[in-house]
Amino acid sequence: MIDLIRAAMARDPAARGVCGVLEIVLTYPGFHAAMAHRVSHGLWKLKVPFLPRFISQGVRLLTGIEIHPGADIGHGFFIDHGMGVVIGETTVIGENVTLYQGVTLGGTGKETGKRHPTIGSDVVIGCGARVLGNIVIGSDVRIGAGSVVVKPVPDDCTVVGVPARIVRGKDKRVLDAPLAHDAIPDPIVSRLAFIEERLAELERGEVEKTS
């Protein structure tokens, strides 16, 4: 419980001081969902029938966050707002991971066994992103809002787009502040800018030839 409160305090600028702690405990749906998951996950590991799923579905009705009791979630987990978040049964999440509303950590079909993603530590997944299938997302990864990730992502990368592609790697970090989503580059805009610059160079060359 303490680690969940500390995570919210550290990553939500609205939560400050004693009043912030009370707000987290009493009004944050992400905190409620994470706490309830610890109970349901414990029961799931004990192979208690029915009750773990009943708890998770009750929390879904109350918070809009659906976490399957089989999901394995590390310490320092934080869901900001959280409406529409879905986390599948065989998902594995490392420590200090942040999810925003509308994130799906799901499967891609009717696979059996491990069919949901494994998320490393210190990962931030933006609003509406989809991470699908039995893939591994490395540590210190940033996934841009609305991205669809269907392939593994190495450590220290930033990915955006549909399907998601790597736009920054270990040698070029785009985010000094982990929540600076406005700093995530747009690869399409960058490519168009390159094409425009190249066309301008070619046009200048043609003008020089005719003059």
Side-chain angles (χ1 to χ4, degrees), residues 44-58:
W44 180 268
K45 290 197 294 184
L46 292 173
K47 301 186 183 303
V48 175
F50 177 71
L51 187 57
R53 291 302 303 271
F54 181 77
I55 292 172
S56 68
Q57 289 303 300

Side-chain angles (χ1 to χ4, degrees), residues 2 11 24 36 45 64 69 78 84 90 124 141-142 150 152 157 176 185 191 194:
I2 298 299
R11 295 174 226 165
I24 291 166
K45 290 197 294 184
F78 178 56
T90 59
V124 177
V141 166
R142 306 291 180 262
V150 293
C157 287
D176 293 325
R191 192 63 181 171
F194 171 79

Side-chain angles (χ1 to χ4, degrees), residues 38-103:
R38 290 186 172 178
V39 175
S40 65
H41 183 63
L43 295 172
W44 180 268
K45 290 197 294 184
L46 292 173
K47 301 186 183 303
V48 175
F50 177 71
L51 187 57
R53 291 302 303 271
F54 181 77
I55 292 172
S56 68
Q57 289 303 300
V59 172
R60 175 177 176 268
L61 290 175
L62 294 172
T63 66
I65 299 168
E66 181 177 344
I67 307 176
H68 193 285
D72 191 344
I73 299 176
H75 291 285
F77 183 57
F78 178 56
I79 303 176
D80 196 353
H81 298 292
M83 181 63 69
V85 167
V86 177
I87 300 175
E89 176 185 2
T90 59
T91 301
V92 177
I93 298 176
E95 297 187 353
N96 304 315
V97 171
T98 302
L99 307 184
Y100 286 82
Q101 63 265 29
V103 167

Side-chain angles (χ1 to χ4, degrees), residues 94-119:
E95 297 187 353
N96 304 315
V97 171
T98 302
L99 307 184
Y100 286 82
Q101 63 265 29
V103 167
T104 298
L105 306 179
T108 58
K110 295 188 178 295
E111 305 96 333
T112 58
K114 181 74 167 75
R115 58 192 184 278
H116 299 103
T118 296
I119 310 295

Side-chain angles (χ1 to χ4, degrees), residues 1 57 91 108 115 123 156 167 179 204:
M1 176 176 175
Q57 289 303 300
T91 301
T108 58
R115 58 192 184 278
V123 173
D156 299 294
V167 293
L179 305 184
R204 285 195 296 270

